[in-house]
Amino acid sequence: MIVTVVAMPQGTIARTDLAEARRRLAATRCLLVDVELPETGPEAGPEAEAEPETGEGAGEDGEPLARRLGLGGADLDWFGRPGEPARADFLGDTVGLVLPVVQGEHVTYAHAVAGDRYLVTAHRGPAFLAPEITAHVRRERPRDAVALLFLLLQSALTTFRRAAVAALLEVEELEDDMFRERRPEQVYRLSRLRRRSALLHHTLLPYLQVIDEVITRRLMSPDFPVERQRLAREFQHVARMVLTDIETLQEATRRAFGSYSSLVAGEQNNVINRLAIVSVIFLPLSFLTGFFGMNFAFLTDELESRAIFWMLAIGLQVGVLGGAFYVLHRTRIWRRLRDED
Protein backbone atom coordinates (compact mmCIF):
# COMPACT_ATOMS: atom_id res chain seq x y z
CA MET A 1 0.00 0.00 0.00
CA ILE A 2 1.43 3.36 -1.11
CA VAL A 3 0.09 6.58 0.41
CA THR A 4 0.84 9.90 -1.31
CA VAL A 5 -0.01 13.22 0.34
CA VAL A 6 -0.24 16.43 -1.70
CA ALA A 7 -0.44 19.71 0.21
CA MET A 8 -2.58 22.39 -1.42
CA PRO A 9 -2.33 24.90 -2.89
CA GLN A 10 1.47 24.52 -2.99
CA GLY A 11 1.32 21.08 -4.64
CA THR A 12 4.14 19.59 -2.58
CA ILE A 13 4.19 15.77 -2.64
CA ALA A 14 5.22 13.43 0.15
CA ARG A 15 5.10 9.65 0.62
CA THR A 16 3.87 8.51 4.02
CA ASP A 17 1.84 5.80 5.78
CA LEU A 18 -1.80 5.62 6.82
CA ALA A 19 -1.15 6.83 10.35
CA GLU A 20 0.67 9.96 9.19
CA ALA A 21 -1.96 10.56 6.50
CA ARG A 22 -4.68 10.38 9.16
CA ARG A 23 -2.84 12.86 11.35
CA ARG A 24 -2.40 15.31 8.48
CA LEU A 25 -6.03 14.93 7.40
CA ALA A 26 -7.12 16.01 10.87
CA ALA A 27 -4.68 18.93 11.09
CA THR A 28 -4.28 20.34 7.56
CA ARG A 29 -6.75 22.80 6.05
CA CYS A 30 -6.58 21.53 2.45
CA LEU A 31 -5.07 18.19 1.51
CA LEU A 32 -5.07 15.54 -1.22
CA VAL A 33 -4.37 11.95 -0.16
CA ASP A 34 -3.94 9.19 -2.75
CA VAL A 35 -3.90 5.55 -1.59
CA GLU A 36 -2.60 2.92 -4.01
CA LEU A 37 -3.85 -0.54 -3.05
CA PRO A 38 -2.38 -3.82 -4.32
CA GLU A 39 -3.87 -5.09 -7.55
CA THR A 40 -6.29 -8.02 -7.42
CA GLY A 41 -6.74 -8.52 -11.16
CA PRO A 42 -6.82 -6.70 -14.49
CA GLU A 43 -9.54 -4.45 -13.13
CA ALA A 44 -11.55 -4.07 -9.96
CA GLY A 45 -14.90 -3.15 -11.44
CA PRO A 46 -18.43 -4.14 -10.49
CA GLU A 47 -17.98 -7.53 -12.10
CA ALA A 48 -15.15 -8.41 -9.72
CA GLU A 49 -15.99 -10.48 -6.70
CA ALA A 50 -16.20 -8.33 -3.61
CA GLU A 51 -13.73 -9.33 -0.98
CA PRO A 52 -14.38 -9.33 2.77
CA GLU A 53 -13.39 -6.39 4.87
CA THR A 54 -10.42 -8.33 6.15
CA GLY A 55 -8.89 -8.36 2.65
CA GLU A 56 -7.05 -5.65 0.74
CA GLY A 57 -7.95 -2.18 1.91
CA ALA A 58 -8.57 -3.21 5.53
CA GLY A 59 -6.22 -3.41 8.45
CA GLU A 60 -5.07 -6.52 10.24
CA ASP A 61 -7.96 -6.11 12.65
CA GLY A 62 -10.45 -5.90 9.76
CA GLU A 63 -10.96 -2.14 10.08
CA PRO A 64 -12.04 -0.57 6.75
CA LEU A 65 -9.73 1.86 5.00
CA ALA A 66 -11.98 4.87 5.58
CA ARG A 67 -11.95 4.36 9.34
CA ARG A 68 -8.19 3.90 9.37
CA LEU A 69 -7.94 7.32 7.74
CA GLY A 70 -10.46 8.80 10.16
CA LEU A 71 -12.98 9.65 7.42
CA GLY A 72 -16.21 8.49 9.03
CA GLY A 73 -18.39 5.61 10.14
CA ALA A 74 -20.10 2.70 8.46
CA ASP A 75 -21.38 4.82 5.55
CA LEU A 76 -17.88 4.75 4.04
CA ASP A 77 -16.98 1.11 4.69
CA TRP A 78 -17.10 0.51 0.91
CA PHE A 79 -14.15 2.88 0.39
CA GLY A 80 -11.19 0.95 -1.03
CA ARG A 81 -13.14 -2.31 -1.36
CA PRO A 82 -13.12 -4.01 -4.80
CA GLY A 83 -16.31 -4.92 -6.61
CA GLU A 84 -18.12 -1.68 -5.80
CA PRO A 85 -20.41 -0.35 -8.57
CA ALA A 86 -20.44 3.28 -9.67
CA ARG A 87 -21.92 5.38 -6.91
CA ALA A 88 -22.28 8.94 -5.64
CA ASP A 89 -23.33 9.36 -2.00
CA PHE A 90 -23.91 12.71 -0.31
CA LEU A 91 -23.29 12.25 3.41
CA GLY A 92 -23.81 15.61 5.06
CA ASP A 93 -20.64 17.61 4.36
CA THR A 94 -18.92 14.61 2.73
CA VAL A 95 -19.30 13.13 -0.76
CA GLY A 96 -18.34 9.55 -1.56
CA LEU A 97 -17.78 8.46 -5.17
CA VAL A 98 -16.87 5.38 -7.14
CA LEU A 99 -15.95 6.66 -10.59
CA PRO A 100 -14.87 4.70 -13.68
CA VAL A 101 -11.61 5.61 -15.39
CA VAL A 102 -10.31 4.34 -18.74
CA GLN A 103 -6.83 2.91 -18.36
CA GLY A 104 -5.44 1.38 -21.55
CA GLU A 105 -7.84 -1.26 -22.86
CA HIS A 106 -9.67 -1.62 -19.54
CA VAL A 107 -11.98 0.44 -17.38
CA THR A 108 -10.89 0.61 -13.77
CA TYR A 109 -12.69 2.11 -10.78
CA ALA A 110 -11.33 4.75 -8.43
CA HIS A 111 -12.82 5.61 -5.06
CA ALA A 112 -12.97 9.18 -3.78
CA VAL A 113 -14.14 10.85 -0.58
CA ALA A 114 -14.27 14.63 -0.46
CA GLY A 115 -15.01 17.05 2.35
CA ASP A 116 -14.51 20.76 2.82
CA ARG A 117 -10.83 20.28 3.75
CA TYR A 118 -9.65 17.15 1.98
CA LEU A 119 -9.93 14.85 -1.01
CA VAL A 120 -8.95 11.22 -0.52
CA THR A 121 -8.69 8.82 -3.47
CA ALA A 122 -8.08 5.07 -3.51
CA HIS A 123 -7.38 2.78 -6.43
CA ARG A 124 -5.73 -0.52 -7.23
CA GLY A 125 -2.55 -0.71 -9.22
CA PRO A 126 -0.31 2.15 -10.42
CA ALA A 127 -1.60 5.69 -10.06
CA PHE A 128 -3.30 6.97 -13.21
CA LEU A 129 -5.13 10.11 -12.07
CA ALA A 130 -2.98 11.35 -9.18
CA PRO A 131 -0.13 12.73 -11.38
CA GLU A 132 -2.62 14.60 -13.57
CA ILE A 133 -4.48 15.97 -10.54
CA THR A 134 -1.19 17.08 -9.00
CA ALA A 135 -0.29 18.91 -12.20
CA HIS A 136 -3.67 20.65 -12.11
CA VAL A 137 -3.11 21.63 -8.47
CA ARG A 138 0.23 23.25 -9.27
CA ARG A 139 -1.10 25.02 -12.35
CA GLU A 140 -4.60 26.13 -11.28
CA ARG A 141 -4.21 26.39 -7.49
CA PRO A 142 -7.80 25.33 -6.55
CA ARG A 143 -9.33 27.21 -3.64
CA ASP A 144 -10.60 24.23 -1.68
CA ALA A 145 -11.09 20.46 -1.76
CA VAL A 146 -14.44 20.78 -3.58
CA ALA A 147 -12.77 22.50 -6.53
CA LEU A 148 -10.16 19.75 -6.46
CA LEU A 149 -12.95 17.15 -6.49
CA PHE A 150 -14.38 18.63 -9.68
CA LEU A 151 -10.87 18.52 -11.18
CA LEU A 152 -10.83 14.81 -10.39
CA LEU A 153 -14.25 14.30 -11.99
CA GLN A 154 -13.18 16.21 -15.09
CA SER A 155 -10.00 14.15 -15.36
CA ALA A 156 -11.97 10.92 -15.17
CA LEU A 157 -14.27 12.15 -17.96
CA THR A 158 -11.23 13.12 -20.01
CA THR A 159 -10.05 9.51 -20.07
CA PHE A 160 -13.38 8.47 -21.62
CA ARG A 161 -13.24 11.28 -24.17
CA ARG A 162 -9.71 10.37 -25.22
CA ALA A 163 -10.63 6.71 -25.59
CA ALA A 164 -13.78 7.54 -27.59
CA VAL A 165 -12.01 9.95 -29.94
CA ALA A 166 -9.11 7.55 -30.53
CA ALA A 167 -11.52 4.71 -31.31
CA LEU A 168 -13.61 6.96 -33.58
CA LEU A 169 -10.55 7.92 -35.61
CA GLU A 170 -9.61 4.27 -35.90
CA VAL A 171 -13.09 3.41 -37.18
CA GLU A 172 -12.91 6.15 -39.82
CA GLU A 173 -9.48 5.00 -41.00
CA LEU A 174 -10.67 1.41 -41.11
CA GLU A 175 -13.72 2.39 -43.13
CA ASP A 176 -11.50 4.19 -45.67
CA ASP A 177 -9.27 1.11 -45.93
CA MET A 178 -12.31 -1.08 -46.57
CA PHE A 179 -13.32 0.95 -49.62
CA ARG A 180 -9.79 0.70 -51.00
CA GLU A 181 -9.38 -3.03 -50.32
CA ARG A 182 -11.64 -5.26 -48.28
CA ARG A 183 -9.82 -7.78 -46.09
CA PRO A 184 -11.24 -10.39 -43.67
CA GLU A 185 -9.34 -9.03 -40.65
CA GLN A 186 -11.16 -5.71 -40.94
CA VAL A 187 -14.39 -7.20 -39.60
CA TYR A 188 -12.53 -8.45 -36.51
CA ARG A 189 -11.10 -4.97 -35.88
CA LEU A 190 -14.59 -3.52 -36.25
CA SER A 191 -15.93 -6.06 -33.77
CA ARG A 192 -13.24 -5.07 -31.25
CA LEU A 193 -14.05 -1.38 -31.67
CA ARG A 194 -17.76 -2.06 -31.31
CA ARG A 195 -17.15 -3.95 -28.07
CA ARG A 196 -15.01 -1.08 -26.83
CA SER A 197 -17.75 1.47 -27.56
CA ALA A 198 -20.24 -0.73 -25.70
CA LEU A 199 -17.84 -1.00 -22.75
CA LEU A 200 -17.38 2.77 -22.54
CA HIS A 201 -21.13 3.40 -22.72
CA HIS A 202 -21.98 0.60 -20.29
CA THR A 203 -19.58 1.90 -17.63
CA LEU A 204 -20.04 5.65 -18.04
CA LEU A 205 -23.85 5.88 -18.26
CA PRO A 206 -24.67 4.41 -14.78
CA TYR A 207 -21.99 6.60 -13.22
CA LEU A 208 -23.38 9.76 -14.82
CA GLN A 209 -26.89 8.85 -13.73
CA VAL A 210 -26.02 8.46 -10.06
CA ILE A 211 -23.77 11.51 -9.90
CA ASP A 212 -26.28 13.66 -11.77
CA GLU A 213 -28.86 12.88 -9.11
CA VAL A 214 -26.53 14.12 -6.38
CA ILE A 215 -25.53 17.26 -8.29
CA THR A 216 -29.12 18.11 -9.17
CA ARG A 217 -30.19 17.70 -5.57
CA ARG A 218 -27.39 20.00 -4.41
CA LEU A 219 -28.16 22.59 -7.09
CA MET A 220 -31.71 22.81 -5.77
CA SER A 221 -30.43 23.58 -2.30
CA PRO A 222 -30.56 27.35 -1.55
CA ASP A 223 -27.37 27.24 0.54
CA PHE A 224 -25.24 25.76 -2.27
CA PRO A 225 -22.51 28.35 -3.09
CA VAL A 226 -22.61 30.05 -6.48
CA GLU A 227 -19.05 29.02 -7.36
CA ARG A 228 -19.83 25.38 -6.71
CA GLN A 229 -22.99 25.67 -8.78
CA ARG A 230 -20.83 26.86 -11.67
CA LEU A 231 -18.46 23.91 -11.26
CA ALA A 232 -21.37 21.48 -11.08
CA ARG A 233 -23.03 22.83 -14.23
CA GLU A 234 -19.73 22.79 -16.07
CA PHE A 235 -19.23 19.17 -15.11
CA GLN A 236 -22.73 18.25 -16.28
CA HIS A 237 -22.08 19.97 -19.61
CA VAL A 238 -18.80 18.14 -20.14
CA ALA A 239 -20.41 14.84 -19.12
CA ARG A 240 -23.12 15.23 -21.76
CA MET A 241 -20.48 16.01 -24.39
CA VAL A 242 -18.44 12.93 -23.49
CA LEU A 243 -21.55 10.75 -23.57
CA THR A 244 -22.36 12.20 -27.01
CA ASP A 245 -18.85 11.31 -28.20
CA ILE A 246 -19.33 7.71 -27.08
CA GLU A 247 -22.73 7.51 -28.76
CA THR A 248 -21.13 8.92 -31.93
CA LEU A 249 -18.55 6.14 -31.72
CA GLN A 250 -21.30 3.54 -31.43
CA GLU A 251 -23.09 4.98 -34.47
CA ALA A 252 -19.81 5.05 -36.43
CA THR A 253 -19.16 1.37 -35.71
CA ARG A 254 -22.69 0.47 -36.82
CA ARG A 255 -22.21 2.51 -39.99
CA ALA A 256 -18.87 0.81 -40.68
CA PHE A 257 -20.46 -2.62 -40.28
CA GLY A 258 -23.15 -1.53 -42.74
CA SER A 259 -20.47 -0.42 -45.20
CA TYR A 260 -18.68 -3.73 -44.84
CA SER A 261 -21.93 -5.61 -45.48
CA SER A 262 -22.57 -3.48 -48.56
CA LEU A 263 -19.12 -4.28 -49.93
CA VAL A 264 -19.69 -8.00 -49.37
CA ALA A 265 -23.09 -7.77 -51.08
CA GLY A 266 -21.50 -5.95 -54.02
CA GLU A 267 -18.88 -8.67 -54.43
CA GLN A 268 -21.60 -11.32 -54.31
CA ASN A 269 -23.50 -9.45 -57.02
CA ASN A 270 -20.37 -9.53 -59.19
CA VAL A 271 -20.16 -13.29 -58.75
CA ILE A 272 -23.82 -13.67 -59.66
CA ASN A 273 -23.32 -11.53 -62.78
CA ARG A 274 -20.43 -13.73 -63.89
CA LEU A 275 -22.51 -16.85 -63.37
CA ALA A 276 -25.32 -15.24 -65.40
CA ILE A 277 -22.92 -14.58 -68.30
CA VAL A 278 -21.62 -18.15 -68.19
CA SER A 279 -25.19 -19.48 -68.12
CA VAL A 280 -26.30 -17.34 -71.08
CA ILE A 281 -23.36 -18.57 -73.15
CA PHE A 282 -23.14 -22.26 -72.28
CA LEU A 283 -26.71 -23.22 -71.51
CA PRO A 284 -27.87 -23.08 -75.20
CA LEU A 285 -24.67 -24.86 -76.27
CA SER A 286 -25.26 -27.62 -73.75
CA PHE A 287 -28.80 -28.01 -75.04
CA LEU A 288 -27.64 -28.29 -78.66
CA THR A 289 -24.94 -30.84 -77.94
CA GLY A 290 -27.33 -32.88 -75.85
CA PHE A 291 -30.09 -32.70 -78.46
CA PHE A 292 -27.95 -33.71 -81.43
CA GLY A 293 -26.18 -36.36 -79.41
CA MET A 294 -29.36 -38.44 -79.20
CA ASN A 295 -29.53 -41.48 -81.52
CA PHE A 296 -32.97 -41.20 -83.13
CA ALA A 297 -33.74 -42.22 -86.72
CA PHE A 298 -33.75 -38.79 -88.39
CA LEU A 299 -30.18 -37.99 -87.29
CA THR A 300 -28.77 -41.39 -88.06
CA ASP A 301 -30.55 -41.98 -91.43
CA GLU A 302 -31.05 -38.53 -93.01
CA LEU A 303 -28.19 -36.33 -91.86
CA GLU A 304 -25.36 -38.11 -93.69
CA SER A 305 -23.86 -35.15 -95.62
CA ARG A 306 -20.63 -33.55 -94.34
CA ALA A 307 -21.96 -30.07 -95.19
CA ILE A 308 -25.04 -30.63 -93.07
CA PHE A 309 -22.86 -31.94 -90.26
CA TRP A 310 -20.65 -28.83 -90.27
CA MET A 311 -23.66 -26.56 -90.53
CA LEU A 312 -25.28 -28.16 -87.53
CA ALA A 313 -22.12 -28.76 -85.48
CA ILE A 314 -20.42 -25.41 -86.07
CA GLY A 315 -22.77 -22.97 -87.77
CA LEU A 316 -25.70 -23.48 -85.43
CA GLN A 317 -23.53 -23.07 -82.31
CA VAL A 318 -21.83 -19.99 -83.73
CA GLY A 319 -25.26 -18.51 -84.35
CA VAL A 320 -26.32 -19.34 -80.78
CA LEU A 321 -23.16 -17.69 -79.40
CA GLY A 322 -23.84 -14.60 -81.48
CA GLY A 323 -27.37 -14.42 -80.17
CA ALA A 324 -26.12 -14.86 -76.58
CA PHE A 325 -23.62 -12.02 -76.90
CA TYR A 326 -26.28 -9.81 -78.45
CA VAL A 327 -28.55 -10.48 -75.47
CA LEU A 328 -25.72 -9.64 -73.06
CA HIS A 329 -25.04 -6.41 -74.92
CA ARG A 330 -28.67 -5.37 -74.96
CA THR A 331 -29.16 -6.07 -71.23
CA ARG A 332 -25.86 -4.27 -70.36
CA ILE A 333 -24.82 -7.07 -68.03
CA TRP A 334 -21.37 -7.29 -69.59
CA ARG A 335 -20.79 -3.51 -69.50
CA ARG A 336 -21.91 -3.29 -65.86
CA LEU A 337 -19.59 -6.11 -64.84
CA ARG A 338 -16.66 -4.50 -66.68
CA ASP A 339 -17.29 -1.13 -65.00
CA GLU A 340 -17.44 -2.71 -61.53
CA ASP A 341 -14.14 -4.50 -62.12
Side-chain angles (χ1 to χ4, degrees):
M1 183 182 300
I2 301 175
V3 182
T4 304
V5 177
V6 182
M8 297 185 296
Q10 299 85 359
T12 57
I13 303 175
R15 290 287 180 87
T16 181
D17 55 15
L18 286 179
E20 176 63 18
R22 177 170 183 166
R23 186 191 67 80
R24 297 186 64 174
L25 281 171
T28 308
R29 185 180 63 86
C30 195
L31 195 69
L32 167 64
V33 178
D34 180 73
V35 181
E36 178 182 329
L37 301 171
E39 291 186 89
T40 58
E43 61 180 294
E47 69 278 2
E49 181 179 355
E51 63 181 16
E53 292 184 358
T54 56
E56 304 293 353
E60 296 179 356
D61 56 353
E63 187 178 16
L65 179 61
R67 299 187 189 183
R68 298 177 67 189
L69 290 169
L71 297 180
D75 292 333
L76 293 175
D77 285 350
W78 53 265
F79 183 73
R81 186 171 59 196
E84 291 296 320
R87 66 191 301 160
D89 297 335
F90 180 71
L91 309 170
D93 57 351
T94 303
V95 177
L97 301 169
V98 177
L99 59 155
V101 182
V102 179
Q103 188 177 21
E105 294 296 324
H106 303 285
V107 176
T108 58
Y109 286 80
H111 296 190
V113 175
D116 292 332
R117 299 183 300 102
Y118 59 83
L119 172 63
V120 183
T121 61
H123 55 88
R124 298 186 177 272
F128 43 88
L129 283 182
E132 185 173 350
I133 296 300
T134 304
H136 282 303
V137 169
R138 292 175 174 175
R139 182 171 60 252
E140 301 181 18
R141 301 296 179 91
R143 298 180 179 179
D144 52 21
V146 176
L148 185 60
L149 172 64
F150 279 102
L151 283 179
L152 174 67
L153 298 179
Q154 297 276 11
S155 298
L157 286 178
T158 300
T159 62
F160 279 88
R161 166 168 284 180
R162 291 171 181 169
V165 171
L168 181 60
L169 293 176
E170 186 176 353
V171 170
E172 293 177 349
E173 293 176 358
L174 186 58
E175 194 170 10
D176 292 338
D177 291 339
M178 284 191 305
F179 285 106
R180 286 193 293 267
E181 180 184 2
R182 189 184 67 84
R183 297 186 300 274
E185 62 270 15
Q186 292 167 342
V187 70
Y188 298 106
R189 293 176 59 189
L190 280 176
S191 299
R192 179 179 60 81
L193 291 170
R194 188 169 185 174
R195 289 195 301 269
R196 183 163 180 79
S197 66
L199 173 65
L200 295 177
H201 190 267
H202 179 73
T203 52
L204 183 62
L205 185 58
Y207 162 68
L208 293 182
Q209 288 176 340
V210 296
I211 199 171
D212 190 64
E213 293 177 2
V214 173
I215 290 179
T216 303
R217 188 164 61 249
R218 292 300 294 158
L219 288 175
M220 295 176 62
S221 176
D223 59 346
F224 197 54
V226 176
E227 177 63 21
R228 295 183 183 181
Q229 291 182 16
R230 183 188 65 81
L231 294 174
R233 290 193 175 95
E234 181 180 349
F235 168 78
Q236 289 179 319
H237 175 68
V238 174
R240 285 192 293 268
M241 293 179 59
V242 174
L243 191 59
T244 300
D245 290 338
I246 295 176
E247 292 172 350
T248 302
L249 172 61
Q250 290 181 307
E251 182 62 29
T253 55
R254 286 192 289 266
R255 185 187 66 244
F257 266 107
S259 300
Y260 188 89
S261 301
S262 299
L263 291 174
V264 172
E267 294 178 358
Q268 291 176 345
N269 289 335
N270 289 339
V271 173
I272 293 174
N273 287 338
R274 290 186 175 91
L275 292 176
I277 291 175
V278 171
S279 300
V280 169
I281 294 174
F282 287 98
L283 187 60
L285 298 180
S286 300
F287 171 77
L288 289 176
T289 55
F291 178 80
F292 287 102
M294 293 184 291
N295 294 323
F296 50 88
F298 179 78
L299 290 178
T300 58
D301 297 340
E302 302 295 334
L303 301 180
E304 297 179 353
S305 170
R306 179 177 298 181
I308 295 177
F309 168 77
W310 284 109
M311 182 182 66
L312 293 176
I314 303 299
L316 187 59
Q317 297 197 33
V318 170
V320 170
L321 285 176
F325 283 115
Y326 177 77
V327 171
L328 292 175
H329 176 73
R330 292 294 297 177
T331 57
R332 300 181 181 179
I333 297 178
W334 187 279
R335 185 182 306 174
R336 188 184 307 116
L337 182 62
R338 183 181 60 189
D339 293 342
E340 290 176 354
D341 291 340

